Amino acid sequence: MSIPAWSEKMLQLLRRMNNFYSAGSCRAHCLRFEIGGAQVGWIPPHVAPLLAQYPQVFDPPQGGVVSLCSSLDSYEKRSEAVDEVLQSLRKEESLTFLKGWRNERYSVMPRYCDPPLMWMERAATSLFGVRRYGVHLNGYTVSNSGEISMWLARRSATKQTYPGMLDHVAAGGLAADAGIKHTMIKECEEEACIPAAIAEKAKPVSTVSYTYVEEGEVFPESQFVFDLELPKEFKPKIGDGEVQEFYLLPMDKVKELLVAGDFKPNCAMVVLDFLIRHSYIEPDSEPYYQEFVAGLHQTL
Amino acid sequence: MSIPAWSEKMLQLLRRMNNFYSAGSCRAHCLRFEIGGAQVGWIPPHVAPLLAQYPQVFDPPQGGVVSLCSSLDSYEKRSEAVDEVLQSLRKEESLTFLKGWRNERYSVMPRYCDPPLMWMERAATSLFGVRRYGVHLNGYTVSNSGEISMWLARRSATKQTYPGMLDHVAAGGLAADAGIKHTMIKECEEEACIPAAIAEKAKPVSTVSYTYVEEGEVFPESQFVFDLELPKEFKPKIGDGEVQEFYLLPMDKVKELLVAGDFKPNCAMVVLDFLIRHSYIEPDSEPYYQEFVAGLHQTL
């Protein structure tokens, strides 16, 4: 089977978005971040010395592990102690990621099903390799002949991350204590003015999970994916200003754009998952079909 | 979030079907099986000494690797040399798996997209930990109110593997040189008398991939999954005698049966994937949602 350029580019994207687990990544030099003996993240090598300045919060590294001090024995104590450290580190020039402080609290726990052990500012999660969860909505129309077109958003040019790139019609991070479907409905309303009466018909269909390293920070992420067939006459409208324009594009065009480098990378993954689930990619003609499915759903 | 017994049982199934990669598995003691420097399988520790009896076919183990002799420099030469070894080993009492000889040739290659380097008898693939590919068809009906019921098959009591257990309406292994959709249509006809005119409407939607160890043999498998909405009036009929009965069951009942231990294990996985893709499982109420999706789509 000869390998089309499209397939090679998609495989490269999946490898890049899973590069934490590839040979030669910084993983071998990361320390496990543990709370009460349970791993909740990965601390990159350049972050560990910064944490060592706060021995009242972080125990000294031992056996490849950095633990929160056991005296921090409640959700509140852990959250507040780490927040104080972060507020202090934020003043240091070296940690560019903390420049993107958002005042958004994310839950920290070993697995999604476990009770949260603390909250952490969103911008800091990648310094600790803490898992982040989000929701992505595939909003689309189906023509009378059954052809699907997908609504996509062009991110605002002033967005902190990935300005001007293609995005889902609605997507967002899962804040501490927020429900998954609730977050999806909220993002629909805020980002694209999709009323709750329509948004609540969205169907949960998958997760897309991956772990990448970028500029020395570790991003283990899992997106809960929803599909929403929108009424043909419905048009999304700009809500909170995070979007500059919406487009309705036939899937063949979406497929082309995936490899043009115009998509926010994790959105490209969620769209690839959509193409597979909706049979726009067939295993007899796609040499990497199995690799695509596996690469989209990695164990965190 | 409290963990329902159903969820725990499904997680146990996924762990068992991926036990090759769990801590303490035989993986640490397996040798890599290579052809021309590319890994195509895993040789369990008890198999390596048997192969050492055939130095004209297998090079002596070196650095954790058993290679085919480089003198076997074509598809035909490799296939025939290994087949001769297997025919000879088949006479030994110790290799119970070779008792299930089927005269079905499977392709051996590093990844599905690579050109096959040789063929191997299906019953021997687990002695070499060679990847096996197959097709599974979710055949179902949709009521006027949108409720899905799935057609399932009870395997014949005389089947060599998993006799009497629940199975898909059609499924089968992918033989050397066989197309994926072609195999699916052929299995539909042979196993359930689904005419090609209906079967060809099946949609490719996913793969389910896992690697398990059983009785010292290694099974890395990937199933190409198709969904087929069957006409309400259609009833599958027993074809080649591999099935004793067909049932049409509402999804709630199917979900219950999944944890009753009545399903062939890889069919249970493909049905779990169906439940997720068709929103019969929701992430707000299923604590292991992300673990389920990842466990169904492991990298081989």
Side-chain angles (χ1 to χ4, degrees):
Chain A
M1 215 188 280
S2 72
I3 311 286
W6 188 90
S7 307
E8 285 294 358
K9 285 202 175 169
M10 292 313 295
L11 193 66
Q12 283 166 21
L13 168 75
L14 294 178
R15 287 196 176 142
R16 185 155 53 84
M17 293 299 280
N18 288 301
N19 65 2
F20 183 63
Y21 287 97
S22 63
S25 91
C26 71
R27 186 183 173 210
H29 308 290
C30 285
L31 297 158
R32 278 179 285 135
F33 176 39
E34 293 190 357
I35 300 177
Q39 185 175 4
V40 294
W42 292 98
I43 297 181
H46 69 284
V47 175
L50 301 171
L51 304 183
Q53 303 168 43
Y54 305 90
Q56 73 284 16
V57 180
F58 300 97
D59 285 335
Q62 200 175 5
V65 173
V66 171
S67 292
L68 272 193
C69 295
S70 57
S71 58
L72 301 169
D73 58 1
S74 73
Y75 179 90
E76 289 75 19
K77 283 186 203 168
R78 294 179 201 115
S79 307
E80 283 161 25
V82 172
D83 194 52
E84 274 179 38
V85 170
L86 292 170
Q87 295 289 0
S88 160
L89 287 174
R90 205 178 157 187
K91 292 165 195 152
E92 300 192 20
E93 284 301 309
S94 60
L95 293 170
T96 50
F97 265 81
L98 289 182
K99 304 272 175 257
W101 200 273
R102 295 178 180 229
N103 288 316
E104 284 183 40
R105 293 177 177 189
Y106 273 31
S107 291
V108 179
M109 57 265 186
R111 290 181 306 181
Y112 189 76
C113 56
D114 297 318
L117 299 173
M118 59 178 287
W119 59 259
M120 184 182 280
E121 154 64 24
R122 174 172 175 171
T125 51
S126 57
L127 292 178
F128 293 84
V130 160
R131 293 175 189 181
R132 313 202 294 191
Y133 297 88
V135 297
H136 278 243
L137 180 85
N138 296 301
Y140 59 95
T141 60
V142 183
S143 73
N144 292 338
S145 60
E147 289 302 303
I148 295 180
S149 295
M150 189 178 271
W151 278 106
L152 292 171
R154 174 77 63 192
R155 292 164 72 86
S156 155
T158 58
K159 281 278 279 188
Q160 206 170 63
T161 53
Y162 306 102
M165 297 189 89
L166 283 178
D167 200 339
H168 279 95
V169 67
L174 207 60
D177 295 327
I180 298 166
K181 188 158 189 178
H182 174 84
T183 300
M184 183 273 298
I185 291 171
K186 182 177 70 76
E187 296 289 347
C188 278
E189 176 71 47
E190 288 178 4
E191 297 193 339
C193 302
I194 300 173
I198 293 178
E200 70 189 7
K201 290 181 183 151
K203 293 182 172 175
V205 285
S206 185
T207 56
V208 167
S209 305
Y210 48 88
T211 304
Y212 65 94
V213 185
E214 202 170 80
E215 298 179 19
E217 319 293 334
V218 180
F219 298 81
E221 297 187 344
S222 189
Q223 310 299 339
F224 293 99
V225 179
F226 290 80
D227 280 1
L228 176 59
E229 183 181 339
L230 288 160
K232 282 197 221 35
E233 66 282 5
F234 179 80
K235 282 192 174 61
K237 284 196 295 284
I238 293 170
D240 56 11
E242 301 200 4
V243 168
Q244 50 173 297
E245 200 175 351
F246 289 104
Y247 314 97
L248 181 64
L249 299 173
M251 291 315 294
D252 287 347
K253 181 69 183 166
V254 173
K255 197 175 164 189
E256 270 174 41
L257 286 171
L258 274 190
V259 295
D262 205 16
F263 265 96
K264 181 166 175 273
N266 67 355
C267 297
M269 293 178 79
V270 174
V271 172
L272 178 61
D273 176 68
F274 184 92
L275 288 170
I276 291 168
R277 287 185 295 101
H278 290 266
S279 311
Y280 281 86
I281 296 176
E282 307 229 351
D284 278 305
S285 55
E286 174 46 66
Y288 294 139
Y289 193 88
Q290 195 271 332
E291 279 84 1
F292 285 172
V293 176
L296 291 169
H297 309 292
Q298 292 287 293
T299 301
L300 290 186
Chain B
M1 213 188 280
S2 71
I3 312 286
W6 189 90
S7 307
E8 285 295 357
K9 286 202 174 171
M10 292 314 295
L11 194 66
Q12 282 165 21
L13 169 74
L14 294 178
R15 287 196 176 141
R16 186 156 51 86
M17 293 300 279
N18 288 301
N19 65 1
F20 183 64
Y21 286 98
S22 63
S25 91
C26 71
R27 187 185 173 208
H29 308 288
C30 285
L31 298 158
R32 279 178 285 135
F33 176 38
E34 293 190 357
I35 300 177
Q39 185 175 3
V40 294
W42 291 98
I43 296 181
H46 69 284
V47 176
L50 300 171
L51 303 183
Q53 302 167 44
Y54 305 90
Q56 72 284 15
V57 180
F58 300 97
D59 285 336
Q62 200 174 8
V65 173
V66 171
S67 292
L68 273 194
C69 296
S70 57
S71 58
L72 301 168
D73 58 1
S74 73
Y75 179 89
E76 288 75 18
K77 283 186 201 168
R78 293 179 201 116
S79 308
E80 283 161 25
V82 172
D83 194 52
E84 274 178 40
V85 169
L86 292 170
Q87 296 289 358
S88 160
L89 287 174
R90 205 179 156 185
K91 292 165 195 153
E92 301 192 20
E93 284 301 309
S94 60
L95 293 169
T96 50
F97 264 81
L98 290 181
K99 304 272 176 258
W101 199 273
R102 296 178 181 230
N103 287 316
E104 284 183 39
R105 294 177 176 188
Y106 273 32
S107 291
V108 178
M109 58 266 186
R111 291 181 305 182
Y112 189 76
C113 54
D114 297 316
L117 299 173
M118 59 178 287
W119 60 258
M120 184 182 280
E121 154 64 24
R122 175 172 174 170
T125 51
S126 57
L127 292 178
F128 293 84
V130 160
R131 293 174 190 183
R132 315 201 294 191
Y133 297 88
V135 298
H136 278 242
L137 179 85
N138 296 301
Y140 59 95
T141 60
V142 183
S143 73
N144 292 337
S145 60
E147 288 303 302
I148 296 180
S149 295
M150 189 178 270
W151 278 105
L152 292 171
R154 175 78 63 192
R155 292 163 72 86
S156 156
T158 58
K159 282 278 280 187
Q160 206 170 62
T161 54
Y162 306 102
M165 297 190 89
L166 283 178
D167 200 340
H168 279 94
V169 68
L174 207 60
D177 295 326
I180 298 166
K181 188 159 189 177
H182 174 83
T183 300
M184 184 273 298
I185 292 172
K186 182 177 71 75
E187 296 289 347
C188 280
E189 176 70 48
E190 288 177 5
E191 297 194 338
C193 303
I194 301 173
I198 292 179
E200 69 189 6
K201 290 180 185 153
K203 294 181 172 177
V205 285
S206 185
T207 55
V208 166
S209 306
Y210 48 89
T211 305
Y212 65 95
V213 185
E214 201 170 81
E215 298 179 19
E217 318 293 334
V218 180
F219 298 81
E221 297 187 344
S222 189
Q223 310 299 338
F224 293 97
V225 179
F226 289 80
D227 279 1
L228 175 60
E229 183 181 339
L230 288 160
K232 282 197 224 29
E233 66 282 6
F234 179 80
K235 282 193 176 60
K237 284 196 295 284
I238 294 170
D240 55 12
E242 300 200 5
V243 169
Q244 49 174 297
E245 200 175 351
F246 289 105
Y247 314 95
L248 181 65
L249 298 173
M251 291 316 293
D252 287 346
K253 181 69 184 164
V254 173
K255 197 175 164 189
E256 268 174 42
L257 286 171
L258 274 190
V259 295
D262 205 17
F263 265 96
K264 181 167 175 271
N266 67 355
C267 298
M269 293 178 79
V270 173
V271 172
L272 178 60
D273 176 68
F274 184 92
L275 288 169
I276 291 168
R277 287 186 294 101
H278 290 267
S279 311
Y280 281 87
I281 296 177
E282 305 229 352
D284 278 305
S285 55
E286 174 46 65
Y288 294 139
Y289 193 88
Q290 194 271 330
E291 279 84 3
F292 285 172
V293 176
L296 291 169
H297 309 294
Q298 292 287 292
T299 301
L300 290 187

